[in-house]
Amino acid sequence: MTFRQVLITTLLNPKAMVFAFLLLPLQAGLFELLPWLGMIALQIVTAGAAWIALGATLGGGARRLGYPEIITRTGAVTLVAVTGLIWLQSFLSA
């Protein structure tokens, strides 16, 4: 997978929008939401850039060692773990 493919996939990821809507105050008007939207956008860009950089760095090392599939498996396990933690948090707070 090329850097461009990873970047486009990350930018089109719908999970970021779901997180954003969960973090926004429900009763706020448009102008009250602007600082929230700015902060969420900054967090999404920062997390996405960090994830891309980490994947590219680790992917290059794994390919040199002859184990490129370990990166996709590690990414999948990480996403499952984060999803499980979010589910657990929502279950315990309900």
Side-chain angles (χ1 to χ4, degrees):
M1 207 175 226
T2 66
F3 177 81
R4 182 179 174 172
Q5 290 171 321
V6 173
L7 178 64
I8 290 171
T9 302
T10 301
L11 291 175
L12 295 177
N13 187 348
K15 288 187 291 287
M17 290 302 293
V18 171
F19 283 123
F21 287 122
L22 289 173
L23 296 174
L24 294 174
L26 293 175
Q27 301 345 28
L30 177 61
F31 291 110
E32 296 163 331
L33 284 178
L34 288 178
W36 288 85
L37 291 171
M39 185 56 71
I40 289 171
L42 179 65
Q43 291 172 349
I44 290 170
V45 168
T46 302
W51 189 252
I52 289 170
L54 179 67
T57 302
L58 294 178
R63 277 191 297 280
R64 279 191 297 280
L65 294 174
Y67 301 106
E69 71 280 351
I70 199 160
I71 296 305
T72 54
R73 291 179 185 165
T74 303
V77 168
T78 302
L79 291 174
V80 168
V82 169
T83 303
L85 289 172
I86 292 169
W87 178 84
L88 183 62
Q89 173 68 27
S90 65
F91 180 74
L92 293 176
S93 65

